Amino acid sequence: MALSLDEALALVGLPSAEALAQLQNAGRLLPETAGQLARHCLEIAADDPPNALRLLEMAQAVHRETGAVDAVTPWLHYAQARLNVLAGDLDAAETNLLAAREAWETSGESFLQARSSLGLTQVLTMQGRFADAETAILTAIQTLDALAMDEIEARLVRFAARQNLATVLSYQERHREALEVLHALRAEVESALAASADADLRLHLTALLGETGVDLALCYGYLDRPQEAIAVLQSAIEQLTAAGASIERGRAYTNLGHLYTRTGQWASALAAFEAALGDLVGDAEPDQQPERWRLADVLFLEQGLAHLSLNLLPEAAADLARAAALFEQTGKRYELAQAHYYRGLLALREEALDAARAALSAAAEIFDSLANRYWLNRVRIAQAHAALLEGLEADAAATLDALVREASLPDQARALTWDVLARCEAALLSCRLALRRNEVDAANEQLSLAERWLAEAAAPAEPALLYPHLALQILHARGLLARRGGDLVAARRFFQQAVETVERQRALLPLEEFRTAFLDDKATLYADLTLALLDEPAPTEQALADAFAVIERARARVLLERLLSAVEAHAAGRQEMAAAERSAALRQQLTWLYNQLLSDNPDSRGAGQRLSETIRQHEATLAQIERRLAAELVEVEPEPLSALQAALEPCEQALIYYKAGDEWMAFVVDRRSAQIVRRLCRHASLDAALADLRFQLGRIEIGADYLTRHHERLLRGAGTALQRVYALIVAPLVHLLEGERLLIIPYGDLHLTPLHALWDGERYLLERFEVSYAPSASVEVQRRRRNESNGFHSLAGFALREPSIPQTENEVQSAARYFEEARVFIDAEATLSQLQNAAACDVLHFATHGLFRPDNPFFSALKLADGWLDVRTIYRLPLRARLVVLSACQSGAVRVQGADEAIGLVRGFLGAGVSNLIVSLWNVHDASAVELMTDFYRCLTVHRLRPSAALRSAQQKAITAHRHPYYWAPYAAIG
């Protein structure tokens, strides 16, 4: 009587001697029982390795007790090999498989001998020994075909053998041969499915059809037939769903995501990877399921490439590190080399050239050992890019010339070594190098090659529809060539088409972080279109308006969409509720971790590195959950220049900065006219001046005694630095500034610069103008449409008294005296629930710790008694306050990402609908904050001034008192 799996699992839970005794008493301590235990081990090995190992140990014990019968020995080797593969010990797996195969060959078990060759093929393939793997599987197929066996198991093994052959061929980039094998195999499987009435067999065959569909799609993809590949994969997913094969379906979704990434369909790729994650890892986030990571190793690899393509670099780094570690553990050299290659691309994006060279060299070494010219060519292109970044133009040119010549060979000669992505990538990089060397004819020749190759691969479809990311690069290069040749009309047309391609892709991305990151490497395109529109001796009014429109498309566009996206109320489903609960739990854990990291406890500081890593992991998990909960953004058109002009007051001008390439420029706009001042300065000059300004302001933090002794010298140093910046970006256009109020819209590093404190040698800018800021003209127009000017009558103040900020209670109590209605929440009362209750007050004032996170700016936060308010949490607050005052360190600090998207606390409150903010660009000096805030609120309420005017008045008082700019200049009025 056969030993069932359940009975076997019950035995392995016992001590070995007791289990053997039970078998003896039941009359089952027999040689065949050892074989049954080994086969049960094979049955559960993939899903339950620990119990599979126990079954094998029990099988070995029974084998010894029953005389080590020769017929059982190969089954033990075979089961051991399976566990070796799962543990990543491929050498041991090969040894055991060879032993099993030899034993079955000796005993004349040809079928089992051939079956063991399938496992051997897998092991050899994982080691990159493709020629040996091909020999093994062809021998197995020959043996199986010679056997007169038509049992179900035999037919399934024959099907699996052909599937393995196709896999081995694909690993060698012999995709056309693999296609032939797969088409013949699918025909046999479909025939068997049509003839079978057995329900279990039909499920198995349906799953096999789905699996071969995944393999087929892989071949189609690498043969530049992505549409066919996508269609086959979608059908495969349906078949695998019907068969209940969730693991294989997860791999199908992974391959689908890969195809979408290859064809620039980023939103679809992310959705496919999310579905794959659910199948392979489960509903929980990956960090909660490490035991299932091995199933998702290729998913992490492909998802890493998608994140890299979307400029989500931290996410890409985490994915690729995890994939590389898994491939190292399991000995998958081919996939490990891909991980090294992708990590090299990531390092190139970060301009970490030493890391890039190391990763690419590691990839090249493995691919060279595998004789894989296809991937080796891709690595060589990346190495040429690295040489170009290092300024080694001759080395880059030599590599690219050889690659392009090889890619230009007739189809048959390059069938195994090139696809359209790599060919176009080589030609486009060669074009970029020629442009850099001012070799216009050579650049045009390389670009024409890329155009022809892309058109041939996409035919009959439009290249921009099938490969939009490649079409975008070609259009951009065409525009650069036209502009270089003086044909501005053609340049504008090409650049405009490229921008439209970007906008179509961007609109498909549903979430804020994705849209923000997507434009990180595309800002140059908008800048080139802007320059092409302005490159006339005297640009027309229409050209100015068109250039302004392009800049607004590339400035805080996602914030505008966040502001205008309607969040529809809906009943949360079970999954959303679970995600929300998990989010809340993670936030509680992060609160404790943040407090530990920022505490004065020496032990905590000593563990700072471990705490930081734990925080990073928790934040990554929380970000994934928050993306599932986030509302999708609408697509919004920016406001035109005329809308900004209509929104300005008669005595007001807007000063709008922009950087295009190396050039800083500024628009000066009032209700009647718009002018542009080009070539204010070169970026390097401004960068150096801003660095000096940061240094001069930072000297104050040395200490109070130092400031007292060197006050005048420090004041002169700051004045000189402020005047240097003034000379670069204000002096060239000061003759155009005639109004009483200035609305300044910064760009890039200017978001972190106190422009209102710039010094002309006699006065600070705020002494001449009332200054306010906005992240973009479109955001400011929307803000003014919503803003109500009914005065400020109620205040809610939140303060935490801590040793480093002892004056916070005085600050909020002093502010409260100026309001008809005031509620003050100190220490334990300063909670999120109290904030939600007070959200309808006209003014919210926070005197607490602020934490700016340049490494992860969406986690910049304000500290309350029961947690930290980060940007995403602020978005969800039911705020109706018209003014928020953030008297906290670095509350106005931002990290600029994408198309001038300034990420920090300010973004959270603007996204929540707040019209006016007072923020600090750097660390707040506690005592001076009380005095300045008291003066601010007096002007706001008693004199009924606008927030920007009230702040100006308070700062002018500090200037009159001869205070160093460090103490008053960080405060800025937004709105």
Side-chain angles (χ1 to χ4, degrees):
M1 179 177 167
L3 188 71
S4 72
L5 176 60
D6 288 340
E7 290 173 324
L9 289 174
L11 281 174
V12 300
L14 301 174
S16 179
E18 185 177 341
L20 290 172
Q22 284 197 18
L23 287 172
Q24 178 71 51
N25 293 336
R28 289 180 168 181
L29 191 60
L30 305 168
E32 53 264 35
T33 300
Q36 290 166 9
L37 287 166
R39 287 188 285 276
H40 286 320
C41 167
L42 290 166
E43 186 179 345
I44 69 168
D47 296 322
D48 191 359
N51 272 327
L53 178 59
R54 295 186 187 99
L55 286 170
L56 179 59
E57 291 170 345
M58 176 63 65
Q60 291 166 337
V62 172
H63 187 51
R64 288 191 297 270
E65 289 291 320
T66 56
V69 175
D70 289 343
V72 176
T73 301
W75 282 108
L76 299 178
H77 283 302
Y78 194 60
Q80 181 66 69
R82 179 68 174 135
L83 293 179
N84 291 147
V85 170
L86 293 172
D89 190 350
L90 299 184
D91 289 337
E94 182 180 357
T95 299
N96 278 296
L97 283 166
L98 288 172
R101 189 171 71 167
E102 183 179 354
W104 277 322
E105 182 180 13
T106 300
S107 63
E109 294 282 358
S110 298
F111 174 71
L112 293 175
Q113 173 195 347
R115 180 175 173 177
S116 65
S117 291
L118 271 64
L120 183 61
T121 301
Q122 179 190 13
V123 169
L124 294 171
T125 301
M126 291 173 69
Q127 293 175 307
R129 295 162 59 188
F130 301 129
D132 292 342
E134 186 174 352
T135 298
I137 197 62
L138 286 173
T139 301
I141 290 172
Q142 185 177 13
T143 300
L144 290 167
D145 287 346
L147 293 174
M149 297 176 64
D150 200 39
E151 293 90 347
I152 290 174
E153 183 182 7
R155 296 184 70 186
L156 292 177
V157 171
R158 282 201 291 270
F159 290 159
R162 283 165 174 76
Q163 189 179 5
N164 280 11
L165 174 60
T167 299
V168 172
L169 293 171
S170 289
Y171 270 108
Q172 298 173 83
E173 317 305 333
R174 293 159 61 186
H175 300 297
R176 287 191 175 88
E177 295 175 63
L179 274 181
E180 293 179 11
V181 173
L182 288 168
H183 281 307
L185 171 59
R186 285 171 66 82
E188 288 187 49
V189 174
E190 287 169 348
S191 175
L193 182 61
S196 176
D198 182 274
D200 289 339
L201 178 59
R202 289 185 62 81
L203 279 179
H204 196 109
L205 293 172
T206 301
L208 183 56
L209 271 182
E211 293 172 22
T212 57
V214 173
D215 297 334
L216 196 63
L218 183 70
C219 296
Y220 281 144
Y222 281 114
L223 291 171
D224 298 324
R225 296 162 65 179
Q227 290 173 309
E228 292 170 86
I230 290 170
V232 169
L233 269 179
Q234 289 169 338
S235 176
I237 287 169
E238 292 178 3
Q239 291 162 338
L240 293 167
T241 300
S246 60
I247 299 299
E248 291 304 324
R249 184 179 63 186
R251 291 172 177 147
Y253 274 123
T254 298
N255 285 14
L256 185 60
H258 165 80
L259 278 168
Y260 285 139
T261 300
R262 280 174 64 88
T263 53
Q265 300 177 69
W266 317 121
S268 297
L270 293 172
F273 291 140
E274 184 74 15
L277 194 66
D279 280 341
L280 298 175
V281 180
D283 292 334
E285 58 271 11
D287 285 336
Q288 302 301 306
Q289 300 282 337
E291 69 280 1
R292 293 178 66 92
W293 287 356
R294 61 186 176 78
L295 296 173
D297 51 4
V298 176
L299 167 61
F300 295 135
L301 177 74
E302 298 296 351
Q303 187 172 258
L305 178 59
H307 282 147
L308 176 59
S309 302
L310 283 169
N311 305 311
L312 294 162
L313 303 189
E315 290 86 344
D319 286 332
L320 295 176
R322 183 174 287 167
L326 291 167
F327 296 142
E328 286 271 19
Q329 292 168 13
T330 54
K332 295 182 178 179
R333 298 182 68 234
Y334 177 87
E335 291 85 353
L336 177 61
Q338 288 180 303
H340 286 317
Y341 167 63
Y342 292 158
R343 294 176 92 176
L345 297 184
L346 172 62
L348 286 179
R349 287 293 312 279
E350 296 174 326
E351 297 191 4
L353 297 183
D354 288 343
R357 280 194 301 270
L360 293 172
S361 294
E365 182 179 350
I366 296 176
F367 285 133
D368 190 44
S369 71
L370 299 178
N372 191 308
R373 291 293 304 281
Y374 172 87
W375 281 101
L376 195 56
N377 283 339
R378 299 178 77 89
V379 174
R380 290 170 66 200
I381 294 168
Q383 289 173 323
H385 187 191
L388 194 56
L389 289 176
E390 289 183 272
L392 304 174
E393 293 184 3
D395 291 350
T399 300
L400 288 170
D401 287 348
L403 287 168
V404 172
R405 279 197 305 273
E406 184 181 319
S408 303
L409 293 173
D411 182 70
Q412 285 188 338
R414 58 171 173 77
L416 308 183
T417 57
W418 292 95
D419 66 0
V420 66
L421 296 179
R423 296 173 84 195
C424 289
E425 187 179 341
L428 286 166
L429 187 59
S430 187
C431 171
R432 193 186 318 169
L433 172 58
L435 274 173
R436 181 162 155 174
R437 299 169 117 183
N438 205 30
E439 298 169 352
V440 176
D441 290 342
N444 190 63
E445 179 183 348
Q446 295 300 314
L447 185 56
S448 296
L449 269 179
E451 287 175 321
R452 176 164 60 82
W453 288 338
L454 180 59
E456 290 171 354
E462 282 293 322
L465 296 178
L466 197 56
Y467 294 102
H469 51 313
L470 285 178
L472 164 67
Q473 294 179 57
I474 289 172
L475 287 167
H476 192 183
R478 272 284 164 228
L480 291 172
L481 276 168
R483 186 171 172 229
R484 185 73 61 90
D487 189 349
L488 291 180
V489 174
R492 291 165 187 161
R493 183 176 71 254
F494 287 125
F495 289 145
Q496 184 61 49
Q497 289 173 352
V499 165
E500 289 169 358
T501 302
V502 169
E503 298 273 309
R504 284 195 298 271
Q505 288 184 294
R506 194 194 75 90
L508 296 175
L509 297 170
L511 301 180
E512 179 175 8
E513 292 95 323
F514 298 157
R515 286 193 187 179
T516 296
F518 181 63
L519 293 187
D520 249 348
D521 60 342
K522 300 170 184 67
T524 301
L525 173 56
Y526 290 84
D528 287 335
L529 177 55
T530 300
L531 291 173
L533 290 166
L534 296 175
D535 274 351
E536 299 282 2
T540 64
E541 288 185 13
Q542 186 59 51
L544 284 181
D546 290 344
F548 177 90
V550 172
I551 291 171
E552 278 298 293
R553 287 186 174 278
R555 187 200 299 273
R557 178 88 169 278
V558 181
L559 175 58
L560 178 67
E561 290 168 333
R562 158 64 63 185
L563 200 60
L564 296 179
S565 291
V567 181
E568 297 181 2
H570 65 282
R574 182 174 300 174
Q575 288 186 338
E576 286 183 324
M577 291 176 65
E581 290 172 2
R582 177 68 178 140
S583 174
L586 278 169
R587 289 187 184 281
Q588 287 183 341
Q589 295 171 35
L590 280 168
T591 292
W592 184 87
L593 290 166
Y594 292 151
N595 292 341
Q596 288 292 304
L597 190 64
L598 297 173
S599 72
D600 293 325
N601 185 330
D603 292 336
S604 295
R605 290 186 182 277
Q609 187 172 355
R610 292 193 302 275
L611 276 172
S612 296
E613 178 58 23
T614 303
I615 287 171
R616 187 203 65 76
Q617 292 174 355
H618 279 58
E619 287 177 344
T621 300
L622 181 56
Q624 291 174 345
I625 294 172
E626 289 287 342
R627 286 170 187 165
R628 295 172 193 163
L629 295 172
E632 294 189 2
L633 296 180
V634 298
E635 186 182 13
V636 175
E637 287 297 310
E639 298 288 344
L641 178 59
S642 58
L644 174 62
Q645 290 179 293
L648 294 173
E649 295 185 0
C651 61
E652 185 181 21
Q653 289 177 291
L655 182 53
I656 305 163
Y657 287 102
Y658 184 63
K659 183 178 77 71
D662 193 39
E663 174 191 344
W664 279 92
M665 64 182 72
F667 287 83
V668 181
V669 180
D670 59 31
R671 292 176 67 92
R672 302 178 308 280
S673 65
Q675 301 178 70
I676 188 166
V677 180
R678 297 279 307 274
R679 302 174 186 87
L680 294 174
C681 62
R682 296 173 67 85
H683 179 64
S685 300
L686 181 57
D687 196 40
L690 293 177
D692 182 48
L693 176 58
R694 289 191 293 270
F695 170 75
Q696 294 296 338
L697 293 172
R699 295 174 71 188
I700 302 303
E701 298 183 359
I702 294 175
D705 291 342
Y706 181 82
L707 174 62
T708 301
R709 292 198 309 271
H710 303 287
H711 180 268
E712 291 300 324
R713 183 159 63 87
L714 292 171
L715 194 60
R716 285 194 303 273
T720 299
L722 289 164
Q723 187 174 6
R724 182 181 174 189
V725 178
Y726 179 94
L728 292 173
I729 63 171
V730 178
L733 46 79
V734 71
H735 62 285
L736 300 174
L737 303 181
E738 301 171 344
E740 298 173 5
R741 298 178 59 197
L742 267 185
L743 167 66
I744 299 181
I745 300 175
Y747 189 83
D749 288 345
L750 295 186
H751 284 287
L752 295 165
T753 305
L755 302 178
H756 54 282
L758 296 184
W759 171 255
D760 67 3
E762 296 181 359
R763 292 180 295 178
Y764 295 104
L765 194 65
L766 71 84
E767 293 183 275
R768 180 174 171 185
F769 304 101
E770 175 192 328
V771 177
S772 63
Y773 295 88
S776 76
S778 298
V779 168
E780 180 63 12
V781 169
Q782 289 295 332
R783 186 197 71 82
R784 294 191 181 200
R785 287 173 182 165
R786 298 191 324 272
N787 194 30
E788 302 174 9
S789 55
N790 298 327
F792 299 98
H793 307 290
S794 59
L795 173 139
F798 297 81
L800 296 181
R801 294 175 298 182
E802 297 188 2
S804 58
I805 47 173
Q807 298 294 323
T808 53
E809 181 179 11
N810 291 340
E811 183 178 320
V812 295
Q813 295 289 8
S814 176
R817 293 200 302 269
Y818 291 99
F819 290 85
E820 301 166 12
E821 301 175 25
R823 302 170 65 187
V824 173
F825 305 96
I826 308 297
D827 293 341
E829 294 182 346
T831 62
L832 177 59
S833 60
Q834 294 286 23
L835 172 57
Q836 291 170 332
N837 293 336
C841 289
D842 295 333
V843 181
L844 297 176
H845 184 106
F846 295 89
T848 179
H849 278 300
L851 177 65
F852 172 58
R853 293 285 305 282
D855 61 319
N856 203 350
F858 278 99
F859 282 95
S860 298
L862 283 174
K863 186 178 182 182
L864 293 179
D866 59 345
W868 292 76
L869 289 179
D870 63 27
V871 175
R872 295 183 184 90
T873 305
I874 295 168
Y875 281 156
R876 293 195 288 266
L877 291 175
L879 295 181
R880 293 195 293 278
R882 290 181 291 113
L883 171 63
V884 170
V885 179
L886 303 178
S887 182
C889 293
Q890 296 183 294
S891 58
V894 296
R895 178 181 169 188
V896 179
Q897 295 181 325
D900 206 49
E901 300 285 347
I903 316 294
L905 287 169
V906 168
R907 186 184 191 87
F909 284 103
L910 288 175
V914 173
S915 297
N916 299 276
L917 290 107
I918 302 296
V919 299
S920 173
L921 296 174
W922 56 78
N923 291 338
V924 170
H925 183 258
D926 199 50
S928 63
V930 175
E931 183 179 348
L932 189 138
M933 283 294 137
T934 300
D935 292 334
F936 165 74
Y937 280 114
R938 181 187 304 111
C939 295
L940 183 75
T941 57
V942 177
H943 302 297
R944 301 182 67 80
L945 297 181
R946 285 183 299 268
S948 56
L951 179 61
R952 179 195 188 196
S953 181
Q955 289 173 320
Q956 284 177 315
K957 184 176 178 181
I959 292 169
T960 302
H962 208 51
R963 300 282 289 167
H964 191 283
Y966 177 86
Y967 296 107
W968 56 263
Y971 295 98
I974 297 174

